[in-house]
Amino acid sequence: SQTIHQWPATLVQPVGSPLSLECTVEGTSNPNLYWYRQAAGRGLQLLFYSVGIGQISSEVPQNLSASRPQDRQFILSSKKLLLSDSGFYLCAWSVPYAGGGREQYFGPGTRLTVT
Amino acid sequence: SQQGEEDPQALSIQEGENATMNCSYKTSINNLQWYRQNSGRGLVHLILIRSNEREKHSGRLRVTLDTSKKSSSLLITASRAADTASYFCATDGGGTGANSKLTFGKGITLSVRP
């Protein structure tokens, strides 16, 4: 069966410090991968998605970047965190589109607080 | 921009009652999905309804889709305290490659009182 891991679960970082959040998927190959951010009491904002190794699509201009160095690994990074980067970060995966619809499967999330 | 817009934003009901949540969207879709999120957790997929379907059931869940009105509803029957969570609708435009993504609404907070 497929599982998705995210770490760390919680993170408190000072403004200006770097960030690296990691997401890995097990039990599937060539998944589509997604990074979302959820502000307190708000909906999900899609940040990045990837349909293959080294292929990254950015949804909004921001202080963050993403990379996919391996098929089932997705990394969210920042060189210098801003206060506005605080939030709940969710990684998700789905099977590549095959005409039948694509559910997304979410990881447990990382709560980031920038102080 | 947000594709799905849920209504109401918050709903409080008594255990045993039915909960109805609505979602409206703006552009054509391949399918529409509903997700649930418990506080501080990741989202869990509940049900998917395709654009050529009008109604779908899964246990105590019933989803309808009206593509002419660009709207969907999620009905939870005989609600339980454990149904307390946020519920999101998400639209799938059916794209591939660089268009491969869902667009989520802002969510509905459901509280079921014991």
Side-chain angles (χ1 to χ4, degrees):
Chain A
S1 64
Q2 301 89 359
T3 54
I4 178 168
H5 304 278
Q6 274 186 256
W7 64 91
T10 60
L11 192 59
V12 180
Q13 292 282 97
V15 168
S17 63
L19 173 74
S20 180
L21 302 181
E22 188 162 344
C23 171
T24 59
V25 181
E26 296 177 356
T28 188
S29 296
N30 195 32
N32 290 348
L33 295 171
Y34 308 85
W35 276 112
Y36 293 90
R37 178 169 60 202
Q38 186 177 33
R42 304 288 298 277
L44 275 71
Q45 180 186 33
L46 179 62
L47 302 175
F48 301 94
Y49 63 99
S50 172
V51 298
I53 296 175
Q55 300 179 58
I56 308 295
S57 297
S58 174
E59 282 296 288
V60 293
Q62 59 208 320
N63 186 42
L64 303 168
S65 62
S67 62
R68 185 171 177 173
Q70 300 180 41
D71 181 45
R72 289 169 288 178
Q73 183 185 31
F74 206 21
I75 297 172
L76 183 69
S77 304
S78 174
K79 292 182 179 178
K80 289 185 178 181
L81 283 169
L82 306 172
L83 285 174
S84 58
D85 292 324
S86 293
F88 191 48
Y89 288 82
L90 289 159
C91 180
W93 74 272
S94 71
V95 296
Y97 181 68
R102 297 157 295 178
E103 303 95 293
Q104 290 190 6
Y105 303 93
F106 285 78
T110 294
R111 175 77 58 193
L112 172 66
T113 303
V114 182
T115 61
Chain B
S1 62
Q2 298 290 126
Q3 164 76 309
E5 293 287 341
E6 294 96 343
D7 165 57
Q9 291 187 330
L11 182 61
S12 181
I13 60 174
Q14 199 72 36
E15 202 166 30
E17 294 179 339
N18 296 341
T20 299
M21 292 167 271
N22 303 298
C23 171
S24 60
Y25 57 92
K26 297 177 181 175
T27 62
S28 62
I29 61 171
N30 175 280
N31 65 80
L32 184 145
Q33 304 176 29
W34 285 90
Y35 289 78
R36 165 194 170 126
Q37 183 183 32
N38 287 80
S39 180
R41 308 291 292 274
L43 277 72
V44 175
H45 178 263
L46 294 176
I47 196 164
L48 179 154
I49 186 164
R50 305 188 197 293
S51 60
N52 62 352
E53 298 176 309
R54 291 297 167 259
E55 188 171 312
K56 202 163 183 180
H57 297 256
S58 177
R60 293 184 297 113
L61 304 180
R62 172 178 166 253
V63 169
T64 62
L65 179 64
D66 187 334
T67 53
S68 67
K69 295 181 179 178
K70 290 187 169 59
S71 67
S72 173
S73 68
L74 171 66
L75 169 68
I76 303 175
T77 60
S79 64
R80 305 167 182 168
D83 294 327
T84 295
S86 293
Y87 292 81
F88 295 86
C89 70
T91 53
D92 181 355
T96 58
N99 294 316
S100 176
K101 58 187 179 181
L102 294 177
T103 304
F104 285 83
K106 294 181 180 179
I108 297 170
T109 300
L110 172 66
S111 298
V112 181
R113 304 185 301 274

